[in-house]
Amino acid sequence: MNESNKWVFWGLSALWFVFVVGVVWVSFTPYVSEHVWGASYVNGMIIALFIIWAVRSVRVVPVDEVALVLVYGFPCTTMQHGPKFIVRGLFQIEYFFTGVAQDQFPDEPEFVQKTPDEVPLETVTVYNEEGDAIERTKVRPIRISTKKGTTSSDDILNTQITVEVSFWVRWRVTDPYRFMLKGGGDAEGFRSQLRDSGESSLNEEITSRTASELVSDFMGVQTALLKKIKDDVDGWGVEIVGAGLLAPDLTHTLSSEMRNVASAKAKAAQAIITADAQRHVTEQDGIARANAKKAMIVATGEGYRESAGLMGVKPEDLLTADVARDTIGEGDIILGTDGISQAIGLGKKIFEQGREDRKIITEHHGRVR
């Protein structure tokens, strides 16, 4: 804490004390008593005035505040909490809250108007601690565009969008002397400095990132924000307790769509699983059908070989007759040139087998001409 002007306070206080003692001493001298009419009454009034002045000069600094003593606007020294003797009329006092204050920028959520810029700002009525009505005009949100994304990525946030951001700062006055010299003790002026520093940091950090990088490197943006604010207010006699970025608003439409991304991905995954399961079922069904058909073909071939062995004919001749019958129907089989020769050979074999074999052919394979 800078106390280079503390001697001014003590020097002026000493001069005041000498002045009071001198006035009282002179008022009680024999000369004044002999030549001033009603000197006793005058002396009593002077003493009473000085007593009242002294009592009124006792100030009590609250426990959560610190007092900055000024001489007609010039800072001299600071006083911690407790009763202090500060000559009234000669010195002035500015009180500073020593607790932690928090501010949100651009303003509290209820005073931020998130509408297009062409819509006029609204005015709302608020009430202070004394119950007085105060008109307040809403403010625009802080809008910053991210860096342009790359076209090769399929990330839905890998694109350039405009985000609305808010940030908060917690601070407290640790040296009212410096705070008064640097900014005139104006808390609103200091808040403007905080907002300018915060917006400058966010502009630099957000414009260098895509929306996807902003979301993934959220802590990096907050760290840069805190460092920037601390550097800019260094020497103000203020401690920055903390600062942070609130979750960026990616606009209502984009936020709504992002909330559906997880659901859409889950549905897509479910569709893939269902398709894989259906394909597996189809493959297994096809394999089963193929195996059954294969078994039927093998059994049929065995049947043809067994029948051909009983009849003394070739199995392929029986197969030819069956295919022809299935294709044309139960009527007579129409034979081509090759078929005629095959039929003649087959008829010869059947005739040689005798009546029993001809009965088998008639019952199982129809008539042959």
Side-chain angles (χ1 to χ4, degrees):
M1 182 178 295
N2 191 331
E3 298 288 354
S4 60
N5 295 318
K6 195 171 185 179
W7 63 269
V8 176
F9 170 77
W10 292 113
L12 291 177
S13 298
L15 288 176
W16 177 86
F17 180 76
V18 171
F19 169 75
V20 170
V21 171
V23 171
V24 172
W25 179 78
V26 170
S27 65
F28 281 92
T29 59
Y31 179 83
V32 173
S33 300
E34 293 176 359
H35 295 83
V36 176
W37 180 84
S40 60
Y41 296 103
V42 173
N43 291 340
M45 292 178 61
I46 291 175
I47 293 174
L49 288 174
F50 279 123
I51 291 175
I52 294 173
W53 192 3
V55 171
R56 294 277 293 169
S57 294
V58 176
R59 315 289 183 90
V60 178
V61 182
V63 68
D64 59 345
E65 293 181 351
V66 62
L68 177 65
V69 182
L70 305 96
V71 180
Y72 301 104
F74 183 76
C76 293
T77 187
T78 57
M79 297 285 184
Q80 300 301 320
H81 62 275
K84 307 294 178 181
F85 184 80
I86 303 171
V87 179
R88 186 176 293 272
L90 180 60
F91 300 107
Q92 300 80 46
I93 297 180
E94 290 284 345
Y95 294 98
F96 293 91
F97 179 63
T98 57
V100 177
Q102 175 170 317
D103 292 296
Q104 184 169 325
F105 302 96
D107 208 330
E108 297 299 324
E110 59 269 24
F111 299 117
V112 178
Q113 183 171 318
K114 296 184 177 182
T115 58
D117 290 344
E118 57 268 17
V119 178
L121 292 173
E122 300 176 3
T123 300
V124 295
T125 302
V126 296
Y127 297 89
N128 58 17
E129 296 179 354
E130 290 76 21
D132 300 326
I134 302 175
E135 297 293 327
R136 284 195 58 179
T137 302
K138 291 187 176 182
V139 298
R140 304 284 184 192
I142 302 174
R143 295 189 175 105
I144 305 175
S145 295
T146 62
K147 184 179 72 173
K148 185 177 180 181
T150 58
T151 57
S152 58
S153 175
D154 58 355
D155 188 347
I156 63 172
L157 286 179
N158 188 40
T159 183
Q160 185 178 35
I161 62 175
T162 299
V163 297
E164 296 178 352
V165 294
S166 298
F167 66 97
W168 54 268
V169 181
R170 294 192 184 101
W171 58 280
R172 67 187 184 94
V173 176
T174 56
D175 190 345
Y177 183 87
R178 287 182 176 272
F179 190 70
M180 177 62 71
L181 289 179
K182 189 74 173 180
D186 183 12
E188 289 303 320
F190 179 71
R191 290 187 178 95
S192 297
Q193 175 66 41
L194 292 178
R195 170 167 178 160
D196 293 342
S197 299
E199 286 193 26
S200 175
S201 174
L202 293 178
N203 269 297
E204 181 179 347
E205 296 298 323
I206 294 177
T207 54
S208 63
R209 292 173 170 83
T210 63
S212 179
E213 292 170 344
L214 174 61
V215 173
S216 61
D217 193 22
F218 193 75
M219 291 303 298
V221 178
Q222 291 204 117
T223 301
L225 173 66
L226 178 59
K227 183 178 184 303
K228 173 69 174 175
I229 293 177
K230 282 186 174 182
D231 291 343
D232 288 353
V233 301
D234 185 35
W236 278 71
V238 174
E239 178 189 2
I240 301 299
V241 179
L245 175 66
L246 299 179
D249 188 349
L250 304 178
T251 73
H252 176 71
T253 302
L254 182 58
S255 299
S256 299
E257 294 300 327
M258 286 183 62
R259 285 195 294 269
N260 295 329
V261 169
S263 177
K265 287 186 176 181
K267 291 180 180 179
Q270 183 61 43
I272 293 173
I273 294 173
T274 303
D276 288 342
Q278 185 62 41
R279 183 172 64 252
H280 179 74
V281 171
T282 303
E283 290 175 354
Q284 294 302 315
D285 182 65
I287 292 172
R289 289 176 180 272
N291 289 336
K293 190 170 184 178
K294 178 181 178 181
M296 182 183 69
I297 293 173
V298 171
T300 302
E302 293 294 333
Y304 277 121
R305 281 194 291 271
E306 184 177 354
S307 298
L310 293 174
M311 294 182 291
V313 298
K314 295 180 179 180
E316 54 267 25
D317 292 336
L318 293 181
L319 177 60
T320 301
D322 264 353
V323 171
R325 183 196 64 199
D326 293 339
T327 303
I328 300 173
E330 293 295 334
D332 295 337
I333 298 177
I334 301 176
L335 301 176
T337 304
D338 294 336
I340 292 175
S341 61
Q342 294 172 359
I344 292 174
L346 180 59
K348 183 177 179 181
K349 292 291 183 179
I350 294 173
F351 181 77
E352 292 176 353
Q353 289 296 324
R355 187 182 305 273
E356 188 64 29
D357 292 341
R358 287 196 298 273
K359 182 178 180 182
I360 293 174
I361 293 175
T362 303
E363 291 175 354
H364 292 279
H365 303 289
R367 299 191 306 276
V368 179
R369 289 184 182 176

